[in-house]
Amino acid sequence: MKGYKTLKRIVWVVTACILAYFTAVSCSEEADCSMTARPMLNANIYTIDVESGLAIRDTLDILTITAAGTDSVILNNEENVISLSLPLRYAVDSTVLVFHYSFLRYDTVVIRHANTPYFLSMDCGYQMQQALTGTSYTRHVLDSISITNSEVSIYGTENIRLFY
């Protein structure tokens, strides 16, 4: 009788452990629908070396970036800026950003892009694939913009070069 009770306890503990394991596994697979999965436009700061004519990485002393027509601040008084990760709008085919270098010095940058929705999953719904189609900008401080990779992704690949 004593052996039967011990066996019964062992079976009960093993069954409880198995049920707990499957419950934990079934609840742990949550979809990643966070903002980290959102594609971002990646830009690097460059200047042209006068002697060699080559593009070299550069730094902006201070930069604030706002979304035109809104109160959204994308970058706030960042110092020693060498690269940027910028969101693009989903609902329209262009994003207008204002680069503030000081109180009176700024440039307006218009980034045109194609937005193509695609189905990600039942949990996350749709995401947006974005491809750059062109740029226009003022030249108060900014010299030029070059598109290096038109496909905007989550991988941190350089999309544009900002020349100062």
Side-chain angles (χ1 to χ4, degrees):
M1 190 72 157
K2 191 174 186 182
Y4 175 75
K5 284 184 179 182
T6 305
L7 182 61
K8 188 176 176 182
R9 281 188 183 147
I10 291 173
V11 169
W12 188 86
V13 169
V14 168
T15 304
C17 288
I18 290 172
L19 287 174
Y21 171 77
F22 283 115
T23 301
V25 169
S26 68
C27 294
S28 67
E29 293 185 27
E30 294 180 17
D32 181 17
C33 303
S34 67
M35 288 297 286
T36 59
R38 180 181 179 160
M40 300 289 271
L41 171 85
N42 290 291
N44 291 314
I45 310 300
Y46 288 87
T47 190
I48 298 292
D49 181 46
V50 178
E51 292 179 15
S52 67
L54 297 174
I56 27 179
R57 295 289 298 265
D58 200 4
T59 304
L60 292 175
D61 294 335
I62 193 158
L63 181 63
T64 296
I65 301 175
T66 58
T70 71
D71 59 355
S72 297
V73 177
I74 296 167
L75 193 68
N76 190 17
N77 287 326
E78 189 74 23
E79 295 180 0
N80 301 319
V81 178
I82 59 172
S83 62
L84 302 165
S85 225
L86 304 168
L88 298 176
R89 295 179 66 185
Y90 280 175
V92 294
D93 62 356
S94 65
T95 301
V96 182
L97 303 170
V98 181
F99 288 58
H100 304 269
Y101 310 106
S102 67
F103 182 68
L104 296 174
R105 296 176 50 190
Y106 65 91
D107 279 305
T108 302
V109 175
V110 179
I111 302 164
R112 290 182 302 284
H113 46 87
N115 300 326
T116 307
Y118 69 96
F119 183 73
L120 188 61
S121 70
M122 290 297 287
D123 292 331
C124 299
Y126 285 86
Q127 285 283 354
M128 194 69 68
Q129 289 178 327
Q130 296 177 301
L132 303 179
T133 58
T135 61
S136 57
Y137 46 90
T138 59
R139 295 183 65 184
H140 302 288
V141 178
L142 182 64
D143 180 68
S144 61
I145 296 177
S146 170
I147 297 175
T148 56
N149 182 0
S150 64
E151 297 301 319
V152 179
S153 70
I154 61 172
Y155 303 113
T157 307
E158 178 185 77
N159 298 107
I160 63 173
R161 291 182 175 188
L162 302 169
F163 289 95
Y164 287 89

